[in-house]
Amino acid sequence: MSSTITTTHFQFPNQKSVYRGKVREVYNINDNLLVMIATDRLSAFDVVLPKGIPYKGQILNQIATKFMELTADIVPNWLIATPDPNVAVGHLCEPF
């Protein structure tokens, strides 16, 4: 039994698309919100390795969330909520 999350297959209401990156999967909800899931996949030298590292996605997501929360008063960011240790929900934004 594996305790890693290496892929997701969600179908959210009003979902427009899903992007599967090297370590994250990003669901576009109605061109308004993003649901970003940090998986336990491991990428090295632009190659996704066959086995994930347990809890890697949680740690990656929680570090990013902590710093976005700590700096939100200085620089507004896209984050709305973190409903799960692996999941961040935020506004769909145009990058600079």
Side-chain angles (χ1 to χ4, degrees), residues 6-92:
T6 55
T7 189
T8 64
H9 302 285
F10 294 110
Q11 285 295 320
F12 295 104
N14 299 316
Q15 178 179 321
K16 296 277 187 163
S17 64
V18 61
Y19 168 77
R20 299 186 193 287
K22 290 186 284 184
V23 297
R24 290 182 182 85
E25 299 187 355
V26 183
Y27 293 84
N28 176 339
I29 311 301
N30 206 28
D31 290 329
N32 186 32
L33 297 175
L34 294 179
V35 176
M36 186 179 296
I37 301 171
T39 69
D40 298 328
R41 293 192 298 257
L42 180 63
S43 171
F45 305 105
D46 289 331
V47 175
V48 177
L49 300 177
K51 291 186 180 180
I53 296 176
Y55 307 106
K56 176 188 168 283
Q58 287 185 17
I59 294 167
L60 184 68
N61 192 53
Q62 289 174 343
I63 289 170
T65 297
K66 181 69 173 179
F67 281 97
M68 283 190 277
E69 289 172 348
L70 288 173
T71 60
D73 61 326
I74 301 167
V75 178
N77 59 57
W78 72 282
L79 186 67
I80 296 171
T82 308
D84 181 85
N86 287 78
V87 179
V89 177
H91 301 283
L92 177 63

